[in-house]
Amino acid sequence: MKRGFIIASHRTLSAGLVETLRFFAGDDLNIEVVTAYMTNAPVDEDLKQAVAKFDENEELIILTDLMAGSVNQKAAMYLQRPHTHLLTGMNLPLAMAFIMEPANQYLTTERVAAIVKDAQKQIVYVNQLNLEGEDDEDE
């Protein structure tokens, strides 16, 4: 079984994310990038071309930038495609988790939900962290 990825966003966010993924995971990633609104091509055409590069039996993970955005809305048209998962609000921890997930079987809904939950935990307001073991030199 193979797993492919489409990383799609308004403008170049997706291209930067994929560049970073390749830095961490190597160049052999099965990823298509959609940088919507960089040309006069409609986003649905960009997505159609990206999806067409994957075999219909291949599991496909589509990550988009904004829930209410046009990119995600157009990507939702592919939810009827077998073995397709659409996630929005993408971030690097989410993308890396899917890239690193073993591809020996299709992902279950429960596994996808667990990956999302773990990625959400990576969004942290660092100012409010109570760093254990921190020396308070002012006291």
Side-chain angles (χ1 to χ4, degrees), residues 30-49:
N30 190 18
I31 296 181
E32 289 296 315
V33 179
V34 173
T35 53
Y37 307 111
M38 294 297 293
T39 67
N40 289 333
V43 65
D44 49 342
E45 187 59 34
D46 290 340
L47 284 164
K48 181 180 178 181
Q49 289 176 12

Side-chain angles (χ1 to χ4, degrees), residues 3 59 61 84-85 87 94 97-98 101 105-121:
R3 182 176 298 134
E59 185 169 42
I61 308 294
T84 299
H85 304 277
L87 301 104
L94 179 70
F98 279 112
E101 189 70 15
Q105 60 185 359
Y106 293 116
L107 293 169
T108 64
T109 301
E110 294 79 16
R111 182 64 190 135
V112 171
I115 291 169
V116 169
K117 188 175 180 179
D118 287 343
Q120 288 171 334
K121 292 177 186 175

Side-chain angles (χ1 to χ4, degrees), residues 1-6 30 51 54-63 75-87 98 103-109 112:
M1 190 212 65
K2 287 180 66 179
R3 182 176 298 134
F5 300 88
I6 296 175
N30 190 18
V51 171
F54 299 96
D55 182 87
E56 65 181 32
N57 293 320
E58 200 167 349
E59 185 169 42
L60 184 58
I61 308 294
I62 304 172
L63 302 180
M77 295 186 307
Y78 296 98
L79 289 175
Q80 301 305 317
R81 181 189 176 278
H83 314 296
T84 299
H85 304 277
L86 174 61
L87 301 104
F98 279 112
N104 56 348
Q105 60 185 359
Y106 293 116
L107 293 169
T108 64
T109 301
V112 171

Side-chain angles (χ1 to χ4, degrees), residues 8-11 13 34 36-37 42-44 47 62-77 79 86-90:
S9 70
H10 297 81
R11 307 289 292 183
L13 175 65
V34 173
Y37 307 111
V43 65
D44 49 342
L47 284 164
I62 304 172
L63 302 180
T64 67
D65 53 358
L66 294 169
M67 176 68 176
S70 57
V71 175
N72 189 65
Q73 291 175 16
K74 297 297 183 179
M77 295 186 307
L79 289 175
L86 174 61
L87 301 104
T88 193
M90 66 184 177

Side-chain angles (χ1 to χ4, degrees), residues 18-35:
V18 170
E19 185 177 321
T20 303
L21 286 170
R22 288 190 169 125
F23 171 77
F24 285 111
D27 291 328
D28 289 341
L29 301 176
N30 190 18
I31 296 181
E32 289 296 315
V33 179
V34 173
T35 53

